[in-house]
Amino acid sequence: MHVQEWLETVPAVAVYALVGIVIGLESLGIPLPGEIILVSSALLASQHGDINPVILGACATAGAIVGDSIGYAIGRKGGRPLLAWLGAKFPRHFGEAHIATAERSFQKWGMWAVFFGRFVALLRIFAGPLAGVLRMPYWKFLIANVLGGIVWAGGTTAVIYYVGIVAESWLKRFSWLGLVAAVLIGVTSMLVLKRKAKKTASGGEATPAPAPAGD
């Protein structure tokens, strides 16, 4: 069975659930490849008639918003001891350098760090919990969280879906190309976001951090 034929046997509801759960867990603070899953699923939707891109985008958006909100609540309750515990358990993702970089971004940009954090891999994981730890007013967090979730999840789904539609004739000729394209797009996007995160880190180190945003 060709890859394309196999992918077409995947139930749409399973794709919706996978996207919503993975993105929700990533937004909550668990390092998972949410963007790669979203890109791959949107590309699959362009070739799989049973997968509705609107529902897919809605599930991704809901997962992002709900996950971030849960992360905020956990961060607000756990405070800095929670960050210290995560740093000890997962030093590669929650090490002091990573936390310091994310915190500088929050101190400099406030609620906009939550919004733009959707587009940067490092901040996407930290945004919710760190906003809670820093006790950002919830109404500010909620506005940035909802807008960021809609623009990132909905926008990514729409762009990749239409890219897949345009390339449909080529993807039909080479059944394995859809899977390869999804992986390449996802990996490229991840590398670009990592580069942006590194630039954010170096920029934050060069600029003195202002006082944290108050209530």
Side-chain angles (χ1 to χ4, degrees):
M1 181 181 290
H2 288 260
V3 172
Q4 185 69 24
E5 294 175 351
W6 177 79
L7 289 175
E8 288 177 354
T9 66
V10 178
V13 66
V15 177
Y16 301 147
L18 177 66
V19 168
I21 291 172
V22 171
I23 290 179
L25 291 175
E26 181 190 40
S27 300
L28 189 153
I30 299 175
L32 292 174
E35 186 168 50
I36 293 178
I37 294 294
L38 179 58
V39 168
S40 301
S41 299
L43 186 60
L44 175 60
S46 70
Q47 309 303 314
H48 194 319
D50 293 335
I51 299 177
N52 188 317
V54 176
I55 297 177
L56 180 66
C59 289
T61 300
I65 294 172
V66 172
D68 243 15
S69 296
I70 295 174
Y72 175 91
I74 293 174
R76 193 173 182 92
K77 184 174 182 180
R80 292 190 176 276
L82 173 64
L83 296 181
W85 180 83
L86 288 173
K89 294 292 183 180
F90 308 99
R92 291 185 59 186
H93 297 96
F94 294 91
E96 292 183 4
H98 293 154
I99 292 176
T101 298
E103 190 168 357
R104 280 193 297 271
S105 298
F106 269 74
Q107 290 172 338
K108 184 175 182 179
W109 302 106
M111 65 184 290
W112 290 108
V114 177
F115 178 85
F116 289 111
R118 283 288 174 200
F119 304 89
V120 180
L122 176 65
L123 290 180
R124 189 160 58 246
I125 298 173
F126 283 114
L130 191 56
V133 170
L134 297 178
R135 297 192 172 275
M136 176 182 290
Y138 184 68
W139 68 269
K140 288 185 177 182
F141 170 80
L142 183 61
I143 292 173
N145 180 26
V146 171
L147 292 178
I150 292 173
V151 173
W152 175 72
T156 299
T157 301
V159 170
I160 299 302
Y161 176 78
Y162 286 111
V163 166
I165 291 294
V166 171
E168 182 175 6
S169 59
W170 292 96
L171 294 174
K172 282 183 177 179
R173 292 182 185 180
F174 304 98
S175 60
W176 47 267
L177 190 57
L179 182 61
V180 173
V183 173
L184 290 178
I185 292 172
V187 170
T188 301
S189 239
M190 182 177 63
L191 292 176
V192 170
L193 290 175
K194 282 186 177 181
R195 180 176 297 179
K196 288 183 179 179
K198 288 181 180 179
K199 288 183 179 179
T200 300
S202 60
E205 289 171 0
T207 304
D215 293 344

